[in-house]
Structure formats: C-alpha cells, structure tokens
C-alpha cells in the first residue's frame, strides 16, 4: 500500500493562491503593465537558445512568488532529483523515468538499478550512427544493390509523432538525398498512400514499436513486407529492407527481423519521450548522426537548466506553474500552442500526446482521486493559418485560452521580399501583433474615436487580458528543436508533480484496444453478430454490417 499523499488543495500555499486569484481576477493586463514598469525585464527568462517573455500573463511578481511556494510545497525540487537519478517515480509500472539519460554527454556516468545506463545509451547511439552513416553513404544498400532513397517509419503514438514532427521541423538538414515517410494509422489509406510511387529496391522500413505488440504497427509492417516481397520477388530481401526499433527482441525476431538490425531502448523511456533515442532512427538517417547529436545537446541544455536554475528563473518551472495557475485557479481547460513556423506544423499534435497522455489522469500516484483539475487540453496550428481560422474565439470568445506563441528570428529561405518587410518579418510581425492584441485589446472608446458607428462598436471591442507566453529562438535548428521539446517535457513534469499524478503511465488507452479486438470478429464474420458490449454499439455493428452487405 502506498503512503497517502497530502491534499495540496488543503495547503496554505494553495489557499494563498486562491485568495490572490480573487484579488487579481478583475485586473486587466493594461493595468498590470501600467503599474509595474519593470515587469517585462523581470518576466523574461532565457534558457540556452530559448528566450521566454511571460509578462503577458495574468500574473504579478506576487503570483509568481506564490506559485513557486506551491512548487516547494509539492516537493518539486526533490521530484526533479528523483527523476534524474533514476528513482522509480513511475509508480504504477514500478519503473525509473530516464528520458533525460538519452541525452547524457558521453563523459557523464549514470548507474541505475545496477545497470550502467549511460553506457547502454551511448552503445545504442553509436550503433544508430554507424547504421545511419552506412545508409547515407550508400554502403548499406537494398537487396538488389541500389542506394536507399526513402525511409518509411512504421509506428504509432510515441513511435510516430516524435520522429514525424522532428523530421518535418528539420527536413532542411536532410543532406544525403534520403527522405522519410511516416505510416501510423490502421486506416489502409495511410500505408497505401505512403507506399504509392516508392521503389521497393530503394526503400528501407524502420518498424518502430516499444512493445512490438501494437496492432496498427504490426499490421502496417506486414502489409509493407508483402509489398516489398511482391516487388522484389524474393523473401530473403526482407533482411536488407527492414530494421526494428524496440525494447522487445523476442517479438522482433518472431516478426522476422534480424535482431542484429534492431536498435534497442528500455522500459524507463516512455514512448512519448523517446524520439531522442532509437525511435529517432529514421530522423537520424535523414539528417545524419552529427545533427542528431546537436539535437541531443539542445535537449541537454534545457535538462541542465531545469535541474539547476532557481525556480524563479527556471523556464519549464515557470511555464508549468502558469499552466497550473490557469487550469486550477482560472478554470481554463485548454492551452493553444501556436508555432509561427510552417516546419512546426506537427508540433501541436506531438505535444498532444506528450502532455495529454502524461497528465490526463484522475487518480493520483497514491491511487486516491485527484483533488484538482489536471491535464490541459493542448491544441494548435501554425500561425498565420490559425489567425484566419480560430483566433476570432481567442480574441473575442467567452473562454479563457492561454496560448504559447513560438517564433524564430532566422528564416531558412532566401529573402522573399514583398514590400519593405520580407515574408519572414511579416510572419514575425503577425506573431507579435497577435500577442499584443490578445493582451491589451482595444476599448470601446478607442473604437468609437475611429468613427465607428455606435451600433457596431460593441462588436469591434477587443477585450484583451488574454494571456500568452512568447518563446523566441534564433533559428529552428536541431539544437533549438531539442531544447523546445525538453522544455515541454519538463513542463509536463512540473504540472504532474503539483497534481500528484504519475505522468509516465497511460492505462486509459488499454481498454479500447482490447474491446476493438473483441469487436472485430462481429464486424467481419459472415454470421450474424453474437454480441456487442452494449445496445448502442450492437446497433452500430448491425448498421455497419448492413452497409457492407453482411448478414444482420
Ligand atoms: O511503441 P508502441 O509500443 O508500439 O506503442 C505506441 C504507442 O501506444 C501507446 O501505448 C498508446 O496506445 C503509446 O503510449 C505509445 O507511444
């Protein structure tokens, strides 16, 4: 039986925040800025290449002091140390949580549960780099001796979203003439579409699955194997065209992939925290081992910052605490993530798994029900596209939607000029304008003064007081991407610590998987369905069967 955790909402720190919120709720950001000229300087923090301005939050110096005190009450410092040192903080699975070990510098030692974790990590990274180097150099060829030009990663969830997002973000660094495609969905449209136009002689499949037991991945891998064997007319071609990334060597071998071509990881890496290890193999083949290691250095820089910076100047701590502030004290339900970079189009989707699979929990680590709201709903789209879609609600809707804006100073493209500002400057101008409009809005008086007819004035009022963080980095490099991801990984950890939950299990996804396997025969058999879990689902099974021309 686990020791019962204290109820954080009963703590003096929580009560102080609740009282403070009541006093602050009626105050506008316009006033907070007017009252405190030093605000921006104080509410700006840098970590490695990341620059965060959090002054446009509905928070004062006192708010931040109280939030930091809450972190102290939740034992955040001790929890950080526990994670980095390999304590079994994933309690429901009795595992260490060591994604931070994936980016340990070679000189740093770490032994956990009697195992030299640092040596294991570097052995896998070296094996990946060696393999990636051979594929890139054309030394590892397909079965017929031709160079590999496309890598197809087959995986789902953490075995897909990380590498997909990172490949899209960093495709400018793909310098060996090798491109990647990513197949995840059990919907046949995914694999059929992704295989279209590929040459089996030049295609390498990376089957990525921590468990190597995931229905979608194994099904897609079997389809890919059939496509390859049909295309090359020889079963033995598989060994040159399939490699695996997994923690489960037995299942890899059972599938028919030579375990010499398997890249391992460990149960102490959660799937959603894994693309900086072997799950990033496809990415490494595309961008090369050196760029991959630069990405790891970016992760590492934020790990170090998170571990050592005082909470008052600690970027993940501040952003995590602000997440708690809005979730639990303002009743906000979602957080928008708005990258002003087309290359980060998949970043919100990646963060959805990272944050929501981690913190979407209603039971605490001690097994008792949670005492506060948990799990922000993350969503978003790149700017400026989002501006022409859902920003109306952000500006004038009734809901409070805190938002993270992410931008970069340097574009990749040569200056594409249209008027005095280049396109990239226009992109950035839009980002900055949005955060300013969200924070300060426009009053009825200001609108009326522009000659707006009185009847239209209320429609044009921009209430403002809508909180945002702005993260700026020099350029979307492998290093800055690593830093950004580590930032959000640690934000998740900070929030999970305050809420007292185990951010590293995901039991809630299991039931649906089992039920799907139970239901599949009812959909596919030629006989009338025997059972369905409930009346509604039984009716839907019958409707589906009727539509497919099967007996009902
Ligand atoms: O890598 P695997 O074992 O195939 O799992 C894929 C994904 O499935 C999940 O278990 C959720 O169903 C995720 O946590 C994981 O990232």
């Amino acid at each position: 039986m686990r020791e019962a955790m204290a109820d954080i909402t009963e703590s003096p720190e929580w009560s102080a925040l609740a009282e403070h919120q009541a006093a602050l709720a009626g105050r506008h950001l316009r006033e907070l800025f007017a009252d405190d000229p030093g605000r921006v300087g104080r509410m700006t923090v840098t970590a490695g290449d990341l620059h965060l301005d959090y002054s446009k939050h509905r928070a004062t110096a006192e708010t931040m002091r109280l939030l930091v005190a809450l972190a102290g009450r939740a034992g955040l410092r001790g929890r950080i140390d526990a994670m980095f040192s390999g304590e079994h903080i994933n309690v429901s699975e009795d595992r260490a949580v060591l994604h931070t070990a994936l980016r340990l510098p070679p000189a740093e030692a770490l032994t956990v549960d009697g195992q030299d974790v640092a040596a294991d990590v570097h052995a896998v990274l070296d094996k990946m780099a060696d393999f990636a180097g051979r594929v890139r150099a054309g030394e590892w060829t397909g079965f017929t001796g031709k160079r590999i030009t496309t890598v197809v990663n087959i995986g789902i969830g953490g075995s897909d979203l990380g590498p997909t997002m990172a490949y899209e973000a960093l495709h400018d660094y793909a310098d060996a003439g090798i491109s990647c495609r990513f197949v995840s969905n059990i919907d046949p449209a995914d694999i059929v579409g992704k295989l279209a136009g590929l040459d089996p002689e030049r295609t390498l499949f990376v089957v990525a699955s921590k468990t190597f037991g995931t229905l979608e991945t194994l099904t897609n891998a079997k389809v890919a194997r059939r496509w390859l064997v049909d295309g090359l007319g020889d079963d033995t071609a598989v060994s040159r065209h399939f490699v695996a990334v997994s923690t489960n060597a037995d299942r890899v071998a059972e599938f028919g992939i030579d375990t010499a071509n398997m890249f391992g990881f460990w149960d102490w890496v959660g799937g959603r925290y894994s693309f900086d290890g072997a799950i990033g193999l496809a990415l490494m083949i595309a961008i090369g081992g050196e760029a991959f290691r630069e990405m790891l250095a970016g992760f590492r820089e934020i790990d170090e910052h998170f571990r050592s910076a005082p909470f008052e100047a600690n970027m993940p701590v501040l952003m995590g605490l602000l997440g708690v502030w809005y979730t639990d004290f303002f009743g906000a339900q979602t957080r928008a993530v708005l990258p002003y970079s087309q290359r980060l189009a998949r970043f919100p989707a990646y963060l959805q798994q990272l944050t929501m699979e981690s913190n979407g929990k209603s039971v605490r680590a001690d097994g008792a029900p949670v005492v506060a709201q948990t799990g922000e709903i993350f969503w978003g789209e790149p700017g400026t596209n989002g501006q022409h879609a859902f920003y109306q609600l952000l500006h004038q809707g009734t809901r409070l939607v805190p938002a993270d804006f992410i931008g970069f100073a340097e574009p990749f493209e040569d200056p594409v000029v249209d008027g005095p500002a280049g396109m990239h400057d226009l992109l950035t101008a839009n980002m900055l304008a949005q955060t300013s409009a969200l924070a300060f809005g426009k009053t009825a008086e200001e609108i009326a003064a522009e000659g707006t007819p009185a009847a239209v004035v209320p429609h044009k009022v921009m209430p403002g007081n809508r909180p945002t963080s702005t993260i700026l980095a020099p350029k979307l490099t492998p290093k800055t991407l690593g830093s950004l991801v580590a930032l959000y990984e640690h934000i998740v950890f900070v929030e999970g610590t305050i809420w007292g939950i185990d951010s590293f299990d995901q039991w809630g996804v299991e039931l649906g998987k089992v039920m799907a396997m139970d239901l599949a025969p009812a959909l596919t058999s030629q006989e009338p369905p025997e059972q369905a879990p409930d009346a509604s689902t039984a009716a839907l099974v019958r409707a589906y069967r009727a539509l497919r021309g099967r007996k009902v």
Side-chain angles (χ1 to χ4, degrees):
M1 193 65 187
R2 264 175 224 125
E3 204 186 316
M5 299 167 83
D7 178 345
I8 193 146
T9 64
E10 295 290 326
S11 67
E13 290 80 4
W14 192 279
S15 308
L17 277 161
E19 262 175 50
H20 175 68
Q21 194 276 343
L24 194 71
R27 302 201 66 201
H28 198 284
L29 275 166
R30 282 188 220 114
E31 293 167 58
L32 301 185
F33 271 75
D35 291 355
D36 178 6
R39 179 179 172 89
V40 177
R42 220 183 34 254
M43 298 178 95
T44 298
V45 58
T46 55
D49 288 339
L50 305 182
H51 171 101
L52 167 70
D53 178 330
Y54 63 101
S55 64
K56 295 192 187 84
H57 276 288
R58 292 175 66 176
T60 61
E62 176 67 353
T63 319
M64 300 319 293
R65 193 186 65 70
L66 294 173
L67 284 168
V68 166
L70 185 70
R73 164 66 60 178
L76 180 60
R77 177 62 65 205
R79 299 288 299 167
I80 294 172
D81 291 342
M83 175 171 71
F84 277 87
S85 63
E87 276 181 39
H88 285 210
I89 60 168
N90 175 351
V91 288
S92 78
E93 296 178 302
D94 191 16
R95 290 175 182 170
V97 173
L98 277 175
H99 44 278
T100 51
L102 296 174
R103 47 267 193 165
L104 278 177
E108 205 161 311
L110 181 65
T111 300
V112 172
D113 299 334
Q115 188 62 25
D116 187 344
V117 165
D120 291 348
V121 164
H122 288 289
V124 170
L125 275 176
D126 290 346
K127 183 174 173 181
M128 288 167 67
D130 174 63
F131 180 71
R134 284 190 290 144
V135 176
R136 287 163 59 80
E139 289 161 24
W140 176 285
T141 63
F143 181 65
T144 58
K146 294 205 174 138
R147 276 181 91 100
I148 298 297
T149 52
T150 307
V151 177
V152 179
N153 186 84
I154 301 179
I156 196 165
S159 301
D160 167 71
L161 288 161
T164 307
M165 177 279 291
Y167 175 72
E168 264 196 41
L170 301 177
H171 67 260
D172 303 85
Y173 295 85
D175 55 357
I178 298 173
S179 62
C180 297
R181 296 186 185 188
F182 295 86
V183 174
S184 53
N185 203 330
I186 192 87
D187 182 340
D190 198 9
I191 187 143
V192 170
K194 301 283 171 47
L195 291 179
L198 289 186
D199 176 355
E201 289 182 283
R202 297 179 178 280
T203 302
L204 176 73
F205 292 95
V206 175
V207 186
S209 173
K210 180 174 172 181
T211 55
F212 231 76
T214 303
L215 173 75
E216 292 88 338
T217 302
L218 295 188
T219 308
N220 278 317
K222 282 182 203 147
V223 173
R225 186 169 55 188
R226 199 172 60 223
W227 174 86
L228 183 95
V229 170
D230 287 352
L232 297 182
D234 195 326
D235 269 2
T236 59
V238 170
S239 63
R240 299 297 299 176
H241 291 268
F242 276 79
V243 298
V245 178
S246 187
T247 58
N248 195 323
D250 292 343
R251 285 189 181 157
V252 168
E254 210 176 294
F255 181 84
I257 296 178
D258 185 351
T259 49
N261 300 326
M262 168 182 151
F263 301 83
F265 59 118
W266 308 271
D267 68 4
W268 42 257
V269 186
R272 52 194 176 271
Y273 297 87
S274 66
F275 86 86
D276 46 333
I279 290 290
L281 181 65
L283 173 70
M284 190 196 266
I285 294 172
I287 68 172
E290 208 176 305
F292 196 88
R293 283 184 199 275
E294 280 167 25
M295 182 180 83
L296 297 185
F299 273 95
R300 182 70 190 166
E301 207 160 60
I302 298 300
D303 291 346
E304 285 299 318
H305 166 85
F306 182 48
R307 214 176 168 176
S308 59
F311 288 171
E312 295 75 13
N314 190 312
M315 198 181 286
V317 171
L318 295 170
M319 288 184 73
L321 290 174
L322 285 165
V324 171
W325 177 231
Y326 294 115
T327 303
D328 293 307
F329 296 91
F330 280 83
Q333 300 204 336
T334 80
R335 182 193 305 212
V337 180
L338 307 165
Y340 276 65
S341 165
Q342 193 60 30
R343 289 170 175 79
L344 285 182
R346 292 295 285 165
F347 194 57
Y350 167 76
L351 288 185
Q352 283 178 333
Q353 188 202 16
L354 178 67
T355 63
M356 291 158 76
E357 203 173 68
S358 295
N359 283 344
K361 312 277 167 68
S362 45
V363 166
R364 289 189 318 210
D366 63 355
V370 294
V371 290
Q373 290 294 332
T374 66
E376 295 168 273
I377 298 165
F378 270 71
W379 62 283
E381 276 289 318
T384 58
N385 295 15
Q387 292 176 203
H388 297 272
F390 52 78
Y391 278 37
Q392 165 65 37
L393 182 148
L394 300 189
H395 284 289
Q396 288 188 316
T398 56
R399 294 176 191 280
L400 179 71
V401 184
D404 297 351
F405 284 73
I406 303 169
F408 301 90
E410 284 286 326
F412 281 84
E413 291 71 22
D414 292 335
V416 184
V417 177
D418 177 18
M423 286 178 78
H424 185 78
D425 298 320
L426 289 173
L427 175 73
T428 308
N430 269 278
M431 177 177 87
L432 300 180
Q434 291 297 327
T435 63
S436 183
L438 284 163
F440 304 108
K442 202 162 178 183
T443 62
E445 295 71 46
E446 287 165 339
I447 290 162
E450 290 170 349
T452 306
V456 180
V457 169
H459 298 279
K460 293 183 92 174
V461 169
M462 299 288 280
N465 216 17
R466 287 153 197 247
T468 60
S469 292
T470 305
I471 299 169
L472 263 182
K475 191 172 182 174
L476 182 53
T477 60
K479 181 162 177 266
T480 51
L481 181 74
S483 292
L484 259 185
V485 172
L487 170 65
Y488 280 92
E489 286 178 348
H490 298 322
I491 290 171
V492 167
F493 185 78
V494 171
E495 294 185 342
T497 298
I498 304 289
W499 292 324
I501 59 185
D502 179 346
S503 301
F504 303 99
D505 60 13
Q506 59 284 322
W507 296 106
V509 300
E510 296 306 324
L511 178 62
K513 293 184 194 173
V514 174
M515 290 176 71
M517 293 317 287
D518 291 346
L519 263 176
L523 296 178
T524 55
S525 103
Q526 287 307 313
E527 297 310 312
E530 277 176 14
Q531 58 181 20
D534 59 82
S536 162
T537 308
L540 289 165
V541 167
R542 281 194 298 277
Y544 178 83
R545 289 173 63 103
L547 290 167
R548 292 220 53 176
R550 292 176 185 152
K551 281 187 207 153
V552 293

